[in-house]
Amino acid sequence: NLNKTEIKDKIFLCLEQIGILIDKNDNVINLQEYINDSIVFLMFVAEIEDTFKKEIPEDIMFYDQLYDLNNLVDVIDVILKEE
């Protein structure tokens, strides 16, 4: 299983795959500042699902969850542990 640092690193790679570069040294990252339209959001969700080989339930993965990268890491951590 991945730890939260590994999950975060994979999320950064997902963002890079869709053309979003973020300073990894920022303590608080509001993803809504970078993912600002529905097409980019859907691309990001698809990239997350492909990377983690998990379907993200729609009731969990919605735009309002993206206010904080650490929150998203927690959400993905829970999904990965549901095996």
Side-chain angles (χ1 to χ4, degrees), residues 8-9 12 21-29 34 69:
K8 187 182 280 190
D9 288 342
F12 281 122
L21 301 176
I22 297 177
D23 183 358
K24 297 175 186 174
N25 297 318
D26 288 349
N27 289 331
V28 177
I29 296 174
Y34 301 92
L69 176 66

Side-chain angles (χ1 to χ4, degrees), residues 53-70:
K53 307 293 185 235
K54 286 282 189 183
E55 187 171 324
I56 308 295
E58 288 182 21
D59 60 328
I60 292 175
M61 189 66 169
F62 50 91
Y63 187 72
D64 292 342
Q65 293 270 4
L66 294 180
Y67 63 89
D68 179 46
L69 176 66
N70 293 319

Side-chain angles (χ1 to χ4, degrees), residues 8-71:
K8 187 182 280 190
D9 288 342
K10 284 184 175 261
I11 291 171
F12 281 122
L13 288 174
C14 290
L15 289 163
E16 287 176 20
Q17 287 295 318
I18 62 169
I20 296 173
L21 301 176
I22 297 177
D23 183 358
K24 297 175 186 174
N25 297 318
D26 288 349
N27 289 331
V28 177
I29 296 174
N30 180 349
L31 292 173
Q32 289 178 345
E33 292 177 15
Y34 301 92
I35 300 172
N36 50 17
D37 69 46
S38 59
I39 294 171
V40 176
F41 176 70
L42 292 174
M43 289 170 53
F44 178 58
V45 172
E47 196 65 43
I48 290 281
E49 290 178 336
D50 189 51
T51 296
F52 291 100
K53 307 293 185 235
K54 286 282 189 183
E55 187 171 324
I56 308 295
E58 288 182 21
D59 60 328
I60 292 175
M61 189 66 169
F62 50 91
Y63 187 72
D64 292 342
Q65 293 270 4
L66 294 180
Y67 63 89
D68 179 46
L69 176 66
N70 293 319
N71 182 60

Side-chain angles (χ1 to χ4, degrees), residues 1-4 7 11 52 70-82:
N1 272 353
L2 299 172
N3 65 39
K4 289 188 178 186
I7 292 171
I11 291 171
F52 291 100
N70 293 319
N71 182 60
L72 181 59
V73 169
D74 291 340
V75 167
I76 292 173
D77 187 46
V78 168
I79 290 169
L80 292 176
K81 288 180 178 171
E82 288 178 348

